[in-house]
Amino acid sequence: MSKVLVIGASGQIGTELVEKLREFHGANNVVAADIKTAAYEVVNGGPFEQLDVLDTQKLYSIIHKYHIDEVYLLAAMLSAKSEEKLLSAWRLNMDGLMNILEIARGKYISKVFWPSSIAVFGPTTPKENTPQHAVTEPNTIYGISKLAGERWCEYYHQKFGVDVRSLRYPGLIGYRSEPGGGTTDYAVQIFHDAIHKGEFECFLEPDTVLPMMYMPDALRATLDIMHAPAEKIKLRSSYNLSAFSFSPAQLAREIKQHVPEFKITYNPDHRQKIAESWPSSIDSSVASQDWGWQPQYDLKAMTGDMFAHLKVGQEG
Ligand code: SER
């Protein structure tokens, strides 16, 4: 059984991915690591290490201590926060990846997962049904770091045979954990505010359509690409990944089905410009052809499931 290290285990994806990986590999075979502490289940459900991915020495020592062979590198600064902290964003997003790729080149680990994003696209990219190989001229530091990361991943695969796999996640929505510092964060916060306050002030304009995905689909995609036979993974930069798209107004309409008195107001800020630079829908047919990607949730199914879980959480 593989020994797995998840770096960024207290983040939005990490919190849930650690649990899935522990079900699959066995709790003691999945080491969760983060610079800060994580959710109770993550820290107590198996090994947990405090780790800054930029601390190369500690990184090597954890990999050595647990005989790690697969790394999921999720530690990153998201789009909106990266615009405020250019150099720290670049350092974390790039040097973190380079540390892991170098460790893989030295054959200390055999497989790497690294997330890219729809943020690799920019204002010159076709907006609708954006193909896998479209113009990538991102104008955010987050997008630039993801694009550079994709090129490094492909380079390390071609030159050194590193088995690195990657997905361009759309905005991710889940009930277990909240994102931080992203442009698609509103689509998570809106659920919490709908339940607790009956209203939500949105930082994007009502008709800004973005590609989104429900967390169970994102987790399944992550495990599917990592468990696929190597020869099926023909792209070693990153795969387009999509499920559905919506605007804040469309999401608000769906939420009203569950909270009829729900009210949304709009007060767009600097994140509007970031959102406008991204595609509104993504073509993920290459992922479907290569390793069988198929989303299961649409907007309606996701909204129903979010409320089912968040309301139970509230009662419990
Ligand atoms: N969800 C991310 C963000 O909003 C994009 O990958 O920054």
Side-chain angles (χ1 to χ4, degrees):
M1 204 29 107
S2 301
K3 288 270 201 169
V4 178
L5 173 64
V6 180
I7 304 171
S10 35
Q12 190 199 11
I13 304 168
T15 305
E16 301 203 34
L17 186 64
V18 164
E19 203 173 297
K20 283 267 170 278
L21 287 168
R22 282 181 175 155
E23 279 164 23
F24 187 86
H25 293 274
N28 284 327
N29 293 323
V30 179
V31 181
D34 204 291
I35 197 162
K36 53 182 195 280
T37 192
Y40 179 85
E41 312 87 72
V42 172
V43 176
N44 294 287
F48 180 83
E49 292 276 350
Q50 199 270 332
L51 171 72
D52 175 354
V53 66
L54 302 180
D55 181 346
T56 319
Q57 234 179 350
K58 180 137 189 214
L59 187 53
Y60 270 101
S61 88
I62 290 174
I63 285 171
H64 180 73
K65 176 174 164 194
Y66 293 97
H67 309 287
I68 298 293
D69 23 53
E70 290 181 18
V71 171
Y72 291 73
L73 172 57
L74 306 175
M77 201 183 289
L78 290 185
S79 57
K81 195 162 167 211
S82 292
E83 292 304 296
E84 287 155 22
K85 299 180 170 230
L86 299 191
L87 295 183
S88 340
W90 183 256
R91 226 171 281 130
L92 174 62
N93 295 358
M94 292 317 310
D95 292 354
L97 174 62
M98 297 314 289
N99 277 350
I100 299 300
L101 289 177
E102 272 297 291
I103 290 171
R105 177 160 82 105
K107 308 259 181 276
Y108 295 96
I109 53 174
S110 59
K111 220 193 243 185
V112 176
F113 177 81
W114 175 78
S116 185
S117 160
I118 55 164
V120 294
F121 299 116
T124 53
T125 305
K127 266 204 166 323
E128 300 290 341
N129 221 12
T130 305
Q132 176 69 47
H133 298 287
V135 177
T136 42
E137 292 181 332
N139 62 1
T140 62
I141 200 68
Y142 176 70
I144 294 170
S145 71
K146 288 297 182 189
L147 180 59
E150 287 190 5
R151 304 322 305 153
W152 277 116
C153 287
E154 189 176 278
Y155 185 91
Y156 268 67
H157 177 74
Q158 283 176 357
K159 295 268 167 169
F160 310 121
V162 167
D163 187 355
V164 53
R165 305 170 183 209
S166 175
L167 299 169
R168 289 172 174 161
Y169 288 129
L172 300 181
I173 297 141
Y175 56 88
R176 293 280 305 280
S177 54
E178 287 170 39
T183 302
T184 57
D185 295 11
Y186 89 85
V188 179
Q189 192 59 43
I190 193 172
F191 284 93
H192 295 278
D193 285 12
I195 289 177
H196 297 295
K197 303 186 198 160
E199 58 180 32
F200 176 67
E201 186 183 276
C202 186
F203 58 72
L204 295 184
E205 297 208 15
D207 52 357
T208 312
V209 177
L210 287 171
M212 299 279 186
M213 181 176 285
Y214 195 32
M215 191 59 89
D217 271 342
L219 297 174
R220 199 165 43 78
T222 309
L223 296 182
D224 282 358
I225 193 175
M226 282 300 271
H227 296 156
E231 65 277 8
K232 290 206 182 252
I233 310 303
K234 300 198 179 81
L235 281 180
R236 297 301 184 142
S237 47
S238 191
Y239 280 95
N240 274 11
L241 189 71
S242 71
F244 50 90
S245 295
F246 58 76
S247 65
Q250 286 165 327
L251 178 57
R253 267 200 295 280
E254 206 52 52
I255 286 177
K256 266 182 193 273
Q257 305 288 318
H258 301 264
V259 185
E261 69 283 6
F262 177 66
K263 291 222 160 19
I264 184 165
T265 52
Y266 298 94
N267 187 10
D269 65 15
H270 62 284
R271 288 169 280 194
Q272 179 63 30
K273 275 231 149 3
I274 301 178
E276 277 170 15
S277 78
W278 292 346
S280 46
S281 58
I282 297 282
D283 173 2
S284 56
S285 53
V286 178
S288 306
Q289 279 153 30
D290 285 3
W291 47 273
W293 166 244
Q294 274 314 322
Q296 284 176 352
Y297 286 87
D298 59 13
L299 173 58
K300 201 172 197 49
M302 174 195 78
T303 309
D305 205 60
M306 282 291 283
F307 276 112
H309 284 95
L310 288 173
K311 285 189 169 158
V312 166
Q314 199 186 21
E315 284 154 16

